[in-house]
Amino acid sequence: MNNETGVQTALALLSVGLEKHIATVLAPHLGGDLEWTDILQELDQMKGKAPKLYSRTDVQCQLRAITERLGNLGYPFDAGDPNRMMSTYGNELRIVRNRWAHNDQFTSFEAMRAVDTVFILLTHIGDTEGAGKAAAERAALVLGLIEQSPAEKTPDEQDGPESTEPEDLPDEAPDMPGEPVRKFARRRTEFEPWDVVVTGSVETLDNLPKKVAKESVRATIEEIVDSEGPIHRDRLTKLVGYTYGLGKVHEARAKKILSQINASACLVDKDHFVWAGDTDPAAWKIHRRSPIGTTRKFLEISPREIANAAVDILRNGTLTEEDLRRRTLAVFGRKKSTQALTTHFGKGLSSAIQSGKIQPGTQPATFEIIS
């Protein structure tokens, strides 16, 4: 058995175990007429993602369900678990699944780690039969490693301003006429930083642009963007470096990572923010409040997200530009403004105006929502 087959088998075992577990955990929230995949569909509509098929047996959908905030349900699979095992190990397996789906090659170490992680999750949810089969898969991989030559070969290919607790805004304003009714998704949510899990070594970055290294790094990029996007390319570069064991990402390494960002399936806009490849930025409707202590700087927040926050604030009434800027900064945990923050807010305001969502009010220097 080769490494890729071992990973494929482990993901299939995981899918069987998660299907029942997810259905059990989410059943109390769904009633009798909804599938749990309807939650993902609703969240994706808010994010401007292209329509797709959602299946309860698709391990990609399952891993999203256990790792992402499910709208107003929060993180039901981590409830009562301060270590957040489901989302932590689930995020690691999202990268594995992405690489497997792109027909990437896995080293013996990577394959065994993936199978180990599947074993841990299946054990955690009480699927003893699946966990036993995962243990057998790992034993087969170990046997294959012993039997192969010592040298495993792989193919080559040539600061921030003062931060404070976000302002408590009124309850989310009602939807505008014509907007679809949503049960789970919300325009306003919390920013959830990517949980950095070291899944590779610095050697992978050193081996760029070799084929195996590119495959690994691009899979990591796409999963981070799917979690945090839109994300500024500088922040993304750092997070990728951390995932491969770096404490600090120097310029030479940053350039290598940046080249993989540009070559990935992601979209990079004119302001250097990176979006998931299946997302339409113009249809992205949410904004994410920044809790105190969040490492995301205001300048690392997309003008589109800033525009969405401003629009949501104006749903409660007309404001002067100064008040709108103050309240928008407060949403993202900023108490004081600087010239740089004011300029960046201006990009968000321009985005909201150009998209036809807000307009100057009847009074000088005010803005109002376009109903």
Side-chain angles (χ1 to χ4, degrees), residues 19-333:
E19 181 183 5
K20 181 179 179 180
H21 182 68
I22 293 172
T24 300
V25 172
L26 294 181
H29 306 286
L30 296 173
D33 58 341
L34 292 174
E35 297 279 359
W36 64 260
T37 51
D38 293 334
I39 302 175
L40 298 183
Q41 184 175 17
E42 194 172 285
L43 294 172
D44 282 351
Q45 288 174 346
M46 289 293 289
K47 294 178 181 178
K49 291 197 171 186
K52 63 182 73 171
L53 294 176
Y54 300 83
S55 171
R56 295 174 301 171
T57 60
D58 183 352
V59 72
Q60 181 182 27
C61 292
Q62 294 169 344
L63 288 171
R64 286 190 58 195
I66 68 172
T67 58
E68 295 183 11
R69 176 184 286 274
L70 301 182
N72 56 7
L73 299 183
Y75 294 89
F77 298 94
D78 285 332
D81 179 9
N83 295 319
R84 299 185 63 183
M85 281 188 63
M86 292 292 285
S87 58
T88 298
Y89 287 111
N91 275 323
E92 182 173 342
L93 288 172
R94 286 181 67 160
I95 296 176
V96 171
R97 190 222 64 87
N98 192 321
R99 291 185 59 194
W100 169 79
H102 286 83
N103 298 314
D104 292 0
Q105 293 183 325
F106 291 82
T107 66
S108 296
F109 169 78
E110 291 170 335
M112 285 189 288
R113 182 184 177 101
V115 176
D116 280 342
T117 305
V118 168
F119 171 81
I120 291 170
L121 277 186
L122 291 176
T123 302
H124 181 67
I125 65 177
D127 183 0
T128 54
E129 181 181 356
K133 292 179 179 179
E137 286 299 317
R138 188 186 192 283
L141 286 171
V142 171
L143 180 61
L145 180 62
I146 293 173
E147 292 175 346
Q148 73 179 13
S149 58
E152 182 178 273
K153 297 181 181 180
T154 55
D156 289 351
E157 180 181 297
Q158 293 294 322
D159 270 277
E162 180 181 356
S163 178
T164 185
E165 187 66 30
E167 180 178 306
D168 286 329
L169 300 177
D171 291 339
E172 184 167 299
D175 294 333
M176 301 299 293
E179 289 188 355
V181 176
R182 302 183 305 271
K183 184 173 181 179
F184 301 101
R186 294 291 182 267
R187 294 187 303 271
R188 184 195 312 159
T189 183
E190 296 283 326
F191 173 70
E192 301 288 344
W194 166 258
D195 287 327
V196 176
V197 179
V198 179
T199 58
S201 67
V202 176
E203 184 180 3
T204 301
L205 300 179
D206 291 338
N207 285 335
L208 288 173
K210 292 182 179 179
K211 183 175 186 292
V212 173
K214 288 196 302 185
E215 291 170 345
S216 176
V217 171
R218 290 181 191 177
T220 300
I221 288 168
E222 290 168 11
E223 286 304 323
I224 295 175
V225 172
D226 199 53
S227 174
E228 277 203 21
I231 174 175
H232 195 275
R233 67 179 185 185
D234 292 347
R235 176 177 172 84
L236 176 57
T237 298
K238 292 176 183 177
L239 292 179
V240 171
Y242 300 158
T243 301
Y244 290 95
L246 293 179
K248 185 175 182 180
V249 183
H250 295 288
E251 183 178 358
R253 290 193 192 276
K255 287 183 178 179
K256 285 187 173 183
I257 296 171
L258 180 59
S259 69
Q260 298 308 313
I261 294 173
N262 293 331
S264 72
C266 299
L267 306 173
V268 183
D269 66 23
K270 63 181 179 62
D271 295 304
H272 308 305
F273 286 87
V274 187
W275 302 73
D278 59 351
T279 299
D280 176 7
W284 202 73
K285 300 180 178 70
I286 67 174
H287 64 277
R288 301 162 293 183
R289 299 169 72 248
S290 300
I292 191 168
T294 298
T295 57
R296 185 176 68 154
K297 301 174 183 177
F298 186 72
L299 297 181
E300 294 175 336
I301 299 173
S302 164
R304 179 70 192 188
E305 185 167 355
I306 294 169
N308 289 346
V311 170
D312 204 42
I313 292 169
L314 288 174
R315 289 173 187 258
N316 294 293
T318 301
L319 289 173
T320 65
E321 181 175 348
E322 181 179 353
D323 285 341
L324 181 58
R325 179 175 65 249
R326 177 186 61 79
R327 296 191 65 182
T328 303
L329 288 172
V331 166
F332 297 111

